[in-house]
Structures are given as structure tokens and as C-alpha cells.
Amino acid sequence: MGSVGGSGQDSSKRSRSGRLLVVSGPSGVGKTTVVRALAARHPLHFSVSVTTRPPRLGERDGIDYRFVTETEFDEMRRRGELLEWAEYSGYRYGTPRAPVLAHLAAGEDVLLDIEVKGAMQVKAAMAEAVTVFLAPPSVAELERRLAGRGDTDPTQVSRRLIIARWQLEVAPRIFDHVVVNDDVETAVEQIVRILEHPEPRENPS
Ligand code: ADP
Ligand code: 5GP
């Protein structure tokens, strides 16, 4: 995904650096759906991650992800080019640092859609980042959404549900905010409010 919803080049934005919004949550909870709807309400630059996962049908290199080999990923990591990285369900994912910093410096709000371990690394490196965990109304509903999407094989669905149970347990202690994605518009509304008033924490540990 590239820049969505506005360039952020107007004079009011040039005077301050942008905010870093990290949205995390179990696979299938609706992160892609919610952040796309969010971008229609609030100008955001979507960070494009690198991954060693093969592309799914319809995914475009350089837009949805940069699809790289294990060797390319290792080299980026070794050169310190990744703001964070993590292994997830057998593949590696990472956030290229330079574009994130450039867009923040240009006054744009930047969105990272990353898993929990990566979100923790970002928060440790950049305390001012606003972290949001998107939770499902129930695990049964999460399974319905994940399987219903139809682009993830059954082994990956089971692996992702095991990870999801762990994430749901730790999330309230780790994230600044937990938002339940029952209704998309309500979830978007809550995130818009968080962006407008990032403090205080809703879920202090
Ligand atoms: P993620 O990016 O977290 O893996 P997706 O955005 O791909 O999840 O959503 C997974 C599936 O759940 C999709 O089929 C999507 O249409 C559906 N979905 C997303 N949000 C909701 C919601 N609030 N209610 C019902 N279905 C939803
Ligand atoms: P998927 O394979 O379904 O696209 O993504 C699997 C998980 O990896 C999702 O939870 C997604 O948020 C996460 N992810 C995507 N990009 C990154 C990244 O750059 N870093 C980390 N840590 N996780 C990522």
C-alpha cells in the first residue's frame, strides 16, 4: 500500500512531525478492512513492509508488500534498514525504516499494520508511537472471518488461530489502546478519536 488519503504537504502539517500509528491484531480480525476505511477519514501514509512470504493472489509487489528472498531480508536486517522485524507463521516480515522516518519528518501520519512482537519493538524504539490492538468480538468470529476470507490454507488458519489466542491474552498489557472490531465504522471512529486525542491510555497495565 502507498500513500492514501492525502499528501500531508500543506503548511499546517509541515510545521510538525507526523504521528506514528501502529495497528496490530490477529490475522483475519479485519486490520486491512479497518485501516482502509480509516484512510478515507484521516490522511495516512501506509508503510510497505518487506516479507519472505509468497504473494497471495492479487497482491502486488511494492504496493501490498515488497516480496523478498530470505537472503535479501537478511541483508536488509544486517544493514540496519529495518525499524522492526519479526517471524510470523513461518515467514519473516519487517518495516523499512527510512520511508517511515521521511514521511514522519514531512509531517504525515504514518500507519504500520504489523504483528505484536514488531509493535513492541516499535514502541520500545519510539515511545511516542500510538499502538492500537484490534480485537475480534470472539475467537469463533475470528475463525469465521479468517476461514471465510478464503485465501489462507487450513494449516495456516490453525497456526494463525494459535498465535491469535496468545495475542489476545497479552494485548491489554502491551498496547496503548484495544479496539474491538465488531462493526467496522465503530472501530474506525474509535481509532480516529485515539489519533485526535492519543492520551491518556485506555488500557493501562
Ligand atoms: P486482516 O487484515 O486483519 O487479516 P481482513 O481485513 O482481511 O483482516 O478481514 C478478514 C475478513 O473479515 C474479510 O473477509 C473482511 O471482509 C471481514 N471483516 C473485516 N471486518 C469485519 C467486521 N467488522 N465484521 C464482519 N466481517 C469483517
Ligand atoms: P499476512 O501474511 O496476513 O499479510 O500478515 C501476517 C501478519 O504479519 C499480520 O499480523 C501483519 O500485521 C504482520 N505484518 C505485516 N507486515 C509486517 C512487518 O513489517 N512487521 C511485522 N512485525 N509484522 C508485519
Side-chain angles (χ1 to χ4, degrees):
M1 300 181 210
S3 284
V4 179
S7 69
Q9 294 304 308
D10 57 289
S11 57
S12 62
K13 287 205 159 177
R14 265 200 301 274
S15 59
R16 66 155 179 92
S17 61
R19 264 169 313 206
L20 184 56
L21 173 65
V22 180
V23 174
S24 217
S27 187
V29 72
K31 294 184 297 296
T32 308
T33 309
V34 167
V35 299
R36 283 190 181 149
L38 175 65
R41 293 275 311 273
H42 185 101
L44 284 169
H45 172 80
F46 282 31
S47 161
V48 180
S49 297
V50 290
T51 182
T52 58
R53 167 171 80 60
R56 296 191 189 119
L57 200 66
E59 283 185 329
R60 296 145 302 172
D61 189 31
I63 295 173
D64 300 295
Y65 281 105
R66 260 176 68 201
F67 297 98
V68 296
T69 62
E70 292 285 349
T71 309
E72 287 168 331
F73 194 98
D74 275 337
E75 279 166 8
M76 290 186 80
R77 193 161 62 87
R78 197 172 38 77
R79 289 196 297 258
E81 291 174 11
L82 300 178
L83 176 60
E84 61 73 36
W85 73 275
E87 192 164 324
Y88 177 92
S89 202
Y91 300 110
R92 289 190 292 167
Y93 299 79
T95 303
R97 182 195 311 272
V100 170
L101 298 186
H103 285 278
L104 289 176
E108 292 178 63
D109 289 346
V110 174
L111 179 121
L112 308 185
D113 166 354
I114 62 177
E115 55 67 67
V116 171
K117 288 170 283 174
M120 289 166 66
Q121 291 171 47
V122 172
K123 189 70 184 178
M126 300 170 80
E128 68 281 14
V130 179
T131 60
V132 173
F133 184 83
L134 206 57
S138 66
V139 174
E141 172 61 12
L142 177 65
E143 186 168 4
R144 261 194 299 280
R145 288 183 194 171
L146 190 51
R149 201 172 57 186
D151 61 0
T152 308
D153 71 58
T155 315
Q156 279 287 332
V157 169
S158 326
R159 287 178 82 164
R160 284 165 184 241
L161 284 171
I162 292 167
I163 300 169
R165 286 180 194 278
W166 167 76
Q167 292 184 341
L168 289 166
E169 210 177 291
V170 299
R173 294 196 298 277
I174 291 174
F175 284 80
D176 296 329
H177 306 272
V178 176
V179 168
V180 177
N181 178 25
D182 194 351
D183 169 68
V184 173
E185 279 315 310
T186 309
V188 168
E189 187 55 45
Q190 280 179 263
I191 299 174
V192 168
R193 255 186 276 132
I194 288 166
L195 273 172
E196 284 165 0
H197 308 283
E199 300 294 338
R201 283 186 61 173
E202 287 174 354
N203 293 283
S205 49

